Amino acid sequence: MIGFWHRLQLREQRLILTALLVISGVLVWLLVIEPMQRSSQALRDQIAGQLALQDWLERVTPEVRQLRQNEQPDRSLGGRSALSVIDQSARAAGLAGALKRIEPGAGGEVRVVFEQAAFPDLMNWLARLVGERPLAVETFSADRSRAAGRVDCVVVLRGPDATGSF
């Protein structure tokens, strides 16, 4: 390789060196500088979005606190058992045909079994129930059934104990 280089005329050697420098510069630009600039701009855009979100959250935080204080829902069972509240709410949500069993468990747990339940209806019912009543989801297990959008599901809910805590 060195012999080849020495056989070239000075002008040819300079031309090859210049071409190598230009190619090296282009490669450095394409492989290092430009990707760094693009990622830097993407990070700047992401930071700007996060700052805008933070600003909006800081502006609405007092309003959210006020709304939470003003709207404390009655999360009681209304003197009824958790079993009857769960049964009535599931039937009202249109899940009567899918509701197969409601079983009391130890420590205030209630096991609810659904078969062929419409998944969106089931999730809406569960969110509403937990949001409006003093019940919490202990476990949730759902399997796809043959019909589209339908699931076989077991939900274990826990109600408050005698002290009012979960």
Side-chain angles (χ1 to χ4, degrees), residues 20 68 132 152:
L20 286 175
R68 282 188 179 163
E132 295 174 356
D152 297 333

Side-chain angles (χ1 to χ4, degrees), residues 30-31 35-36 38 44 93-94 109 114 116 132 138 147 149 156 162:
L30 291 175
L31 298 176
M36 286 176 45
R38 260 192 262 134
R44 276 191 226 109
E109 286 186 354
F114 294 94
Q116 298 290 318
E132 295 174 356
E138 189 74 20
V156 177

Side-chain angles (χ1 to χ4, degrees), residues 68 70-80 85 128-135:
R68 282 188 179 163
N70 293 343
E71 294 183 22
Q72 292 297 326
D74 179 22
R75 291 181 41 104
S76 71
L77 295 175
R80 301 181 339 210
V85 169
R128 194 174 320 112
L129 180 68
V130 171
E132 295 174 356
R133 302 294 180 186
L135 298 168

Side-chain angles (χ1 to χ4, degrees), residues 18-54:
T18 304
L20 286 175
L21 285 174
V22 169
I23 291 172
S24 299
V26 168
L27 285 176
V28 166
W29 175 263
L30 291 175
L31 298 176
V32 177
I33 296 172
E34 187 180 9
M36 286 176 45
Q37 286 180 335
R38 260 192 262 134
S39 67
S40 174
Q41 183 61 41
L43 288 173
R44 276 191 226 109
D45 294 344
Q46 185 180 6
I47 289 171
Q50 290 177 347
L51 288 173
L53 176 61
Q54 180 184 9

Side-chain angles (χ1 to χ4, degrees), residues 46-96:
Q46 185 180 6
I47 289 171
Q50 290 177 347
L51 288 173
L53 176 61
Q54 180 184 9
D55 183 46
W56 178 80
L57 287 172
E58 288 173 354
R59 283 184 287 142
V60 298
T61 298
E63 183 179 344
V64 170
R65 283 190 185 128
Q66 182 181 8
L67 289 173
R68 282 188 179 163
Q69 289 174 354
N70 293 343
E71 294 183 22
Q72 292 297 326
D74 179 22
R75 291 181 41 104
S76 71
L77 295 175
R80 301 181 339 210
S81 73
L83 298 172
S84 67
V85 169
I86 292 168
D87 181 57
Q88 182 184 12
S89 66
R91 292 181 190 286
L95 296 169

Side-chain angles (χ1 to χ4, degrees), residues 92-149:
L95 296 169
L99 181 60
K100 296 303 174 194
R101 288 188 305 279
I102 301 176
E103 305 167 345
E109 286 186 354
V110 178
R111 187 171 186 251
V112 187
V113 179
F114 294 94
E115 291 178 3
Q116 298 290 318
F119 187 72
D121 295 342
L122 179 68
M123 296 311 295
N124 287 333
W125 165 76
L126 192 56
R128 194 174 320 112
L129 180 68
V130 171
E132 295 174 356
R133 302 294 180 186
L135 298 168
V137 176
E138 189 74 20
T139 60
F140 178 88
S141 173
D143 295 317
R144 251 190 263 171
S145 62
R146 291 181 206 142

